[in-house]
Amino acid sequence: AGECNYNDGEISNNGGTLTLTSSVIAEATGQCAYTASYNINTVVTPRGGGVFNSATHSFNILNTKISGNVATGWGGGVLNCGTVKVNGTAQFVNNKAQYGGGFFNCSYEDTAGSGSYIGTATITSATFKNNSAGNKGGAIYNHKSGSKLANLSIMNVTIDGNTATDVGSGIANYGTISRCSGTITNGKTSSVAVYNEGTISSDKSTDNQDSGVLKIYNNNGIGLQNKKSFSLNGGEFWEYGNTAVATINSGTITLKNM
C-alpha cells in the first residue's frame, strides 16, 4: 500500500514536473486525508490510489502500467488536479474508486479566495481495462466545481470492460472534453457507457494526431446519454450493440462532416 505525508497515492506530486516512463504503479491505496483546499466539500477522504498530481503541477505518464490501485473517494489509478499528459502504451487496469476508477480529472472553484484551479489532462493511445467505480465513471470521471470545468482530451483510446454502479461505465463527464476518439465498450449491461452533463466536442480537422473515429458499443445497455452538449466535426461516429436504445438525448447533439 502506498504511504504519503501530504495527500494521497503511492506517488504524490506536489511540486515541479514528474515523468514516469516504462514503469508500474500497482496495488496502492490512497490512505491520506485529502485536504480541504483541494476538496469542494471539505470532506476528509482518501483519494488518488496510485498517483496524485496536485494543482499547478505537471505529470507525464509514458508507457506505464497503473493497476490494482484503490481510492475510497476519487481516482483509483490517478487523481489529477494539475496537468497530466498520458502517451504511448499506458495501461489503467483493475483500479477502483467511488468516482473515476481509472482516472479522475478534477477542478475546484474557491468562491472565498484565489485558490481555484482546473485540472487539464491529455490522454493519447492509452488502454483502460476492468476499472470500476462504486458510483460514476468506471474508467474516467471529468469533474466540475461551480463554474470551473476540468478539461480533458482523449485521443485513440481503448476503454473496455470497465463498470460503474451508477452511470458512465466508460466515461462520466461534467466538465469539458475537447477531443474524443477511440473505442468505448460498455462494461456492464443496463449501464451507460458515456454519460455527459458537460461538453463533449471533437474536431478532426484541427489535429492530425486524432483519428477522429469514436466507436461506442452499448453491450445491452445505453451507449450515450447526453444531457448537455455533444458535438463531432469530421471523422466517424459509430454506436452499435445489441439493444434497442443506443442514445438517450435531452441536450444537444451536433454531427457535421461525418
Side-chain angles (χ1 to χ4, degrees):
E3 300 288 345
C4 57
N5 296 317
Y6 176 67
N7 271 289
D8 309 88
E10 187 165 29
I11 294 179
S12 182
N13 182 34
N14 298 309
T17 299
L18 179 62
T19 298
L20 289 180
T21 303
S22 302
S23 304
V24 175
I25 306 298
E27 298 182 2
T29 301
Q31 294 184 353
C32 303
Y34 192 59
T35 58
S37 61
Y38 291 105
N39 181 355
I40 61 172
N41 297 315
T42 64
V43 176
V44 178
T45 308
R47 303 177 180 190
V51 173
F52 169 70
N53 186 48
S54 65
T56 74
H57 302 126
S58 298
F59 204 109
N60 300 315
I61 300 172
L62 308 172
N63 305 322
T64 290
K65 185 174 184 179
I66 298 176
S67 68
N69 303 287
V70 178
T72 59
W74 297 350
V78 172
L79 168 58
N80 173 54
C81 299
T83 300
V84 166
K85 291 184 179 181
V86 180
N87 292 291
T89 56
Q91 300 176 63
F92 297 78
V93 182
N94 293 324
N95 301 287
K96 298 179 181 180
Q98 280 297 304
Y99 298 87
F103 194 103
F104 190 106
N105 193 36
C106 74
S107 60
Y108 173 63
E109 181 175 55
D110 182 2
T111 58
S114 58
S116 299
Y117 58 81
I118 296 174
T120 300
T122 302
I123 302 173
T124 305
S125 302
T127 297
F128 290 79
K129 180 76 173 178
N130 296 337
N131 302 283
S132 62
N135 201 296
K136 300 175 182 177
I140 298 171
Y141 189 109
N142 196 42
H143 184 237
K144 171 186 177 182
S145 171
S147 65
K148 301 300 179 182
L149 309 179
N151 195 341
L152 175 65
S153 175
I154 52 176
M155 294 182 287
N156 311 324
V157 299
T158 300
I159 298 175
D160 182 30
N162 304 278
T163 60
T165 301
D166 194 346
V167 293
S169 64
I171 299 172
N173 177 53
Y174 295 82
T176 300
I177 297 180
S178 54
R179 290 281 188 281
C180 191
S181 66
T183 301
I184 304 170
T185 301
N186 200 348
K188 181 181 179 182
T189 59
S190 76
S191 186
V192 178
V194 178
Y195 180 81
N196 180 44
E197 280 196 34
T199 298
I200 297 177
S201 63
S202 195
D203 189 344
K204 172 67 173 64
S205 66
T206 62
D207 195 332
N208 291 329
Q209 288 184 318
D210 188 354
S211 69
V213 178
L214 176 60
K215 297 182 178 181
I216 302 175
Y217 180 67
N218 59 49
N219 189 25
N220 279 319
I222 299 167
L224 168 66
Q225 184 173 359
N226 177 57
K227 290 192 171 184
K228 193 171 182 183
S229 177
F230 181 89
S231 174
L232 302 180
N233 183 16
E236 302 174 21
F237 178 50
W238 299 73
E239 193 171 0
Y240 57 101
N242 44 6
T243 181
V245 181
T247 297
I248 295 177
N249 179 47
S250 56
T252 301
I253 295 179
T254 304
L255 303 178
K256 299 191 294 184
N257 303 316
M258 308 300 286

